[in-house]
Amino acid sequence: MFHNRRNQIVAHNKHSMLMWMICNTLVPLRSKGLKRVSNFFKYRFNHSVAITQAKISDDTVFSFHTYDHYWARYLFTGTPYEPEIEAFLRKLSDVPYSFIDCGANYGYWSCLASSLEFGKHPTVAVEASSGTYADLQRNSALNDNRFKCLRAAVYNRDHASVMFTKDDNHGSRSIDSVTSSPLAPDTELTNTITIDSIAKQHLKSSSSILCKLDVEGAEISAFEGAGELLDTD
């Protein structure tokens, strides 16, 4: 177990210690070169089994691939992750609402929104990528399955089939096209769902909804699928 100024690393191995040293060494350089260094080790070790867990609130554990430069930069060094969103959610901790996390990635905000410290809000996390979805499910399980996971692409209509890119960088995966044609290389088929359907099928109708959208360029289409919610008070 080791600490930084914000997080406590509670489950780690030799890979975690290595990345902790690399990340903190590169802080004075604003993490320049971290992606290249982390990829060097990722492709030489078994990336899938090198998992680190960080305690990000009193009752919340968040896991990530140790050589994932995107998350390592924040969680190994204690650099605040999207501090504006964190401050906003903290201010709403006593306000009753349900949280829809569209483009949840590994579920960082789902983990926090559903935690006691942030108000323990009913939460649905939606992720389109099959690989990233497995990591999202792991984080839900680590936190007693207190938020629901859905694998789908948030879009302006339900039950369409979209091609979703399978880029090695989980942060840049996105909808490639809406099609029924054969899959293009490095893509996978994903079904779509609207925000209205997520709310109706998985949340109480009486609750206010807070929705976070990070769907890699499909935000306008996602909003078009929230017409019923937008028409309510």
Side-chain angles (χ1 to χ4, degrees):
M1 183 182 297
F2 53 97
H3 301 255
N4 56 46
R5 58 189 174 185
R6 285 176 61 88
N7 309 306
Q8 177 179 328
I9 305 300
V10 295
H12 58 87
N13 48 45
K14 63 182 181 181
H15 303 286
S16 306
M17 294 299 295
L18 174 62
M19 276 298 285
W20 182 88
M21 289 188 291
I22 291 170
C23 289
N24 284 279
T25 298
L26 292 175
V27 165
L29 301 176
R30 298 184 179 181
S31 300
K32 185 177 181 179
L34 178 59
K35 180 178 180 179
R36 180 175 296 180
V37 173
S38 61
N39 283 343
F40 174 85
F41 288 106
K42 178 172 73 174
Y43 295 125
R44 280 156 182 77
F45 299 117
N46 189 342
H47 175 55
S48 63
V49 299
I51 301 295
T52 298
Q53 294 178 16
K55 189 173 183 180
I56 58 175
S57 77
D58 287 343
D59 64 340
T60 305
V61 173
F62 179 78
S63 68
F64 60 100
H65 291 276
T66 305
Y67 294 112
D68 181 341
H69 70 277
Y70 180 86
W71 288 109
R73 173 189 175 190
Y74 297 102
L75 295 167
F76 282 129
T77 67
T79 301
Y81 177 67
E82 296 183 341
E84 298 85 359
I85 295 179
E86 179 176 337
F88 180 69
L89 293 180
R90 284 189 183 278
K91 287 183 178 181
L92 295 181
S93 60
D94 294 327
V95 177
Y97 69 83
S98 295
F99 185 56
I100 302 178
D101 190 357
C102 300
N105 194 265
Y106 291 178
Y108 185 88
W109 294 119
S110 293
C111 287
L112 287 180
S114 62
S115 71
L116 184 62
E117 183 176 340
F118 283 73
K120 208 170 184 179
H121 302 284
T123 297
V124 180
V126 190
E127 175 56 44
S129 165
S130 59
T132 308
Y133 182 72
D135 297 303
L136 174 65
Q137 287 183 303
R138 181 177 63 244
N139 279 321
S140 180
L142 283 171
N143 293 283
D144 300 319
N145 294 303
R146 69 187 184 212
F147 62 87
K148 184 176 181 61
C149 300
L150 297 179
R151 189 193 164 211
V154 181
Y155 209 57
N156 58 14
R157 61 185 185 272
D158 295 312
H159 310 304
S161 294
V162 298
M163 286 197 296
F164 197 79
T165 61
K166 296 174 66 176
D167 190 283
D168 188 52
N169 178 7
H170 59 79
S172 63
R173 296 168 185 163
S174 61
I175 292 175
D176 183 66
S177 63
V178 182
T179 182
S180 59
S181 61
L183 288 177
D186 299 318
T187 63
E188 61 182 337
L189 206 59
T190 305
N191 289 328
T192 64
I193 192 169
T194 63
I195 294 173
D196 283 338
S197 291
I198 296 168
K200 285 188 291 186
Q201 296 171 17
H202 302 285
L203 295 171
K204 294 181 179 179
S205 58
S206 59
S207 64
S208 298
I209 303 292
L210 176 63
C211 184
K212 185 222 81 181
L213 276 177
D214 185 4
V215 289
E216 302 299 335
E219 284 80 7
I220 293 176
S221 293
F223 264 119
E224 290 173 347
E228 293 181 23
L229 280 178
L230 293 173
D231 286 340
T232 61
D233 292 335

